[in-house]
Amino acid sequence: MASSGEQTGNPRQALHEYLQIRQLSESQDDAIRIEELPKLVNRFWDAVTRFFEFGWGASFHFSPRRPGETLAEAQRRHHLQVAELLRLKPNMDVADIGCGVGGPMIGIARASGANITGINLNAFQIERGKRRVSQAGLDENCRFLHANFMDVPLQDETFDAMYGFEATCHAPNKLPLFRELYRLLKPGGEIVNVDWCLTDRFDASDARHQRIRRGIETHNGTGTLYTIEQQVDAFRRAGFEIIQAFDQHGHHGNAQLPWYIALQGRDFSFRTWARSPAGRRLTEAVTKFLEFVRIAPEGTSEIAAFLNAAADDLIESGELEIFTPDFLVHVRKPAAVE
């Protein structure tokens, strides 16, 4: 597992190790999966982070779109909406759960003035994020903590508020994770968590639905995907009060702009071509050539093909409406009794 800011090994090695760990974790009991999945997630991000930055910029998540709005514009608006829900303000101590390379953190810190700690298991992403934070002039507001969010080396009641964008889907077990977040949050503090979930249209007895589910989990480095009901229940069982829980694409999304258009090329522009089907296939072909002439590391084209399969699974799930990447749960830790 990577332990420094450099990507370890070549892309092929990272991808193959990820798949080996995945196979091991899926063949063992819960205790083994909880132990192995962080290693799996770490190798997944070692393999794909540069591709995500190329196609997505600094924010690796979907967001509800408005007509005429680019994905990047929707993401920025989404970040501000979460900050508003949490009523973030200067001097508040806030955690970004699974912060990636820092895109949401930068936007939220700049808008709110809050002090944000980005918790991330992947050292390579942290180094990329530190550069972005410094370039944004936010070193005083933003810091990174290299840690597994299942077991964070911080004292109880450290944070006033917490948020996450499509990160807790990588947890091996949601209930222990949410209990850890409960421990870290001050009484009366709130969390807004946006995450991947199966919708009520998912049918566990449908072989096609199960194939898509397994494909999403395998090609995106997630744990077992929860249904919407399971997600809310896990927060409640961890001790939180539920303020609101809803699929943002059902409430705030535009029916003509479903979340998966970012992968279909229907919002095609010079900036988004790399996420389109044609752009993804072209990237795969170009990386094969660059590998052949020894400009790109071996395995780069394998990762491109792997991520193409991930995109195809997600598009199919969206067309069937059995999956959402943006199920929002807003919760509160009960205030301390005096």
Side-chain angles (χ1 to χ4, degrees):
M1 186 167 62
S3 59
S4 70
E6 298 297 325
Q7 277 185 296
T8 58
N10 58 39
R12 175 172 291 152
Q13 178 185 351
L15 179 60
H16 287 189
E17 287 184 10
Y18 162 74
L19 292 172
Q20 288 171 356
I21 297 169
R22 174 128 222 145
Q23 185 176 21
L24 172 66
S25 67
E26 290 178 349
S27 66
Q28 303 292 333
D29 60 21
D30 284 343
I32 297 296
R33 281 195 289 271
I34 289 172
E35 179 182 350
E36 294 295 329
L37 196 63
K39 302 175 188 176
L40 178 152
V41 172
N42 196 56
R43 287 312 264 157
F44 174 80
W45 288 117
D46 277 341
V48 307
T49 291
R50 288 192 184 276
F51 278 86
F52 271 65
E53 288 183 301
F54 177 60
W56 294 79
S59 298
F60 303 165
H61 65 86
F62 298 91
S63 289
R65 305 275 283 275
R66 292 175 177 171
E69 192 175 49
T70 68
L71 177 60
E73 290 168 341
Q75 288 170 331
R76 287 192 290 270
R77 178 172 51 79
H78 198 185
H79 301 161
L80 297 184
Q81 288 175 338
V82 167
E84 290 171 1
L85 281 176
L86 292 171
R87 302 178 299 283
L88 301 187
K89 57 188 178 182
N91 298 319
M92 287 182 69
D93 292 316
V94 181
D96 184 321
I97 309 159
C99 64
V101 296
M105 179 196 302
I106 290 170
I108 290 174
R110 181 180 287 133
S112 68
N115 300 317
I116 303 179
T117 298
I119 301 170
N120 193 329
L121 180 64
N122 188 264
F124 177 70
Q125 286 193 339
I126 287 176
E127 290 306 312
R128 305 288 288 177
K130 285 180 177 178
R131 294 190 190 104
R132 291 181 183 276
V133 165
S134 292
Q135 290 168 358
L138 290 168
D139 291 294
E140 294 297 317
N141 294 87
C142 300
R143 72 183 186 99
F144 292 84
L145 176 63
H146 185 198
N148 180 354
F149 56 29
M150 302 289 294
D151 184 18
V152 181
L154 292 174
Q155 294 181 347
D156 295 356
E157 302 179 6
T158 294
F159 297 110
D160 298 299
M162 310 175 83
Y163 67 83
F165 288 95
E166 301 180 30
T168 59
C169 56
H170 296 288
N173 188 316
K174 296 287 185 68
L175 183 56
L177 168 60
F178 295 161
R179 285 174 173 159
E180 176 69 351
L181 302 184
Y182 187 96
R183 179 187 72 81
L184 293 167
L185 192 63
K186 295 176 182 178
E190 297 178 8
I191 298 176
V192 171
N193 189 55
V194 179
D195 204 11
W196 291 20
C197 286
L198 301 168
T199 72
D200 55 11
R201 290 179 179 263
F202 176 79
D203 182 355
S205 67
D206 188 305
R208 184 185 181 191
H209 290 193
Q210 287 288 12
R211 172 185 58 78
I212 295 169
R213 174 184 188 164
R214 287 192 297 271
I216 292 174
E217 291 168 352
T218 298
H219 293 122
N220 293 278
T222 75
T224 300
L225 291 174
Y226 275 29
T227 64
I228 284 171
E229 292 80 7
Q230 289 172 326
Q231 186 87 341
V232 175
D233 183 61
F235 269 110
R236 187 177 288 113
R237 290 172 62 196
F240 289 101
E241 300 170 349
I242 309 298
I243 298 173
Q244 57 181 334
F246 58 89
D247 180 2
Q248 293 175 97
H249 294 283
H251 285 67
H252 299 303
N254 185 302
Q256 303 305 311
L257 297 170
W259 62 266
Y260 51 89
I261 65 166
L263 302 172
Q264 286 182 310
R266 288 166 53 187
D267 61 343
F268 183 82
S269 70
F270 177 76
R271 289 179 58 86
T272 64
W273 75 272
R275 295 194 308 268
S276 70
R280 289 188 275 113
R281 306 304 171 192
L282 178 60
T283 298
E284 184 179 345
V286 169
T287 54
K288 285 183 179 179
F289 173 76
L290 294 177
E291 283 184 59
F292 178 75
V293 297
R294 299 189 176 181
I295 294 175
E298 289 185 2
T300 303
S301 62
E302 288 183 51
I303 294 174
F306 181 81
L307 293 178
N308 283 340
D312 292 340
D313 293 328
L314 289 169
I315 290 169
E316 190 174 6
S317 76
E319 291 173 339
L320 292 174
E321 299 182 349
I322 63 172
F323 167 84
T324 176
D326 279 329
F327 185 66
L328 184 148
V329 182
H330 183 189
V331 299
R332 179 187 299 113
K333 181 175 179 176
V337 178
E338 296 185 2

